[in-house]
Amino acid sequence: MNQSQNISHQAGQAKGQAEEKASGMMDQMSNAAQSAKESCQGAGQQMKDKAQGAADSVKDAVGANKN
């Protein structure tokens, strides 16, 4: 392998490694985004449940809850 071929080979290897690293980083970012989404959905559901509980308590206090 002459010097030109060697340099070309090394450049190809470096490119492949950079692409693999970028792919791994994208996967990590995607996983973090999915985790944040699920966390927000859980927090939203908790807030909804608490608000419903508070509304039911008020209805019970005024005798308006027909459940």
Side-chain angles (χ1 to χ4, degrees):
M1 183 180 287
N2 67 30
Q3 185 176 5
S4 177
Q5 289 172 325
N6 189 30
I7 291 171
S8 179
H9 176 73
Q10 289 175 353
Q13 283 185 323
K15 179 183 177 202
Q17 290 171 356
E19 288 172 350
E20 183 63 30
K21 186 173 183 179
S23 176
M25 291 172 68
M26 291 297 288
D27 287 345
Q28 288 177 343
M29 289 171 42
S30 176
N31 290 342
Q34 181 66 29
S35 180
K37 176 184 171 187
E38 290 169 3
S39 185
C40 287
Q41 287 173 336
Q45 186 62 46
Q46 285 180 343
M47 289 172 50
K48 179 181 172 187
D49 292 344
K50 286 182 181 181
Q52 184 63 53
D56 289 344
S57 294
V58 170
K59 288 178 184 178
D60 288 341
V62 298
N65 200 351
K66 298 178 182 173
N67 288 339

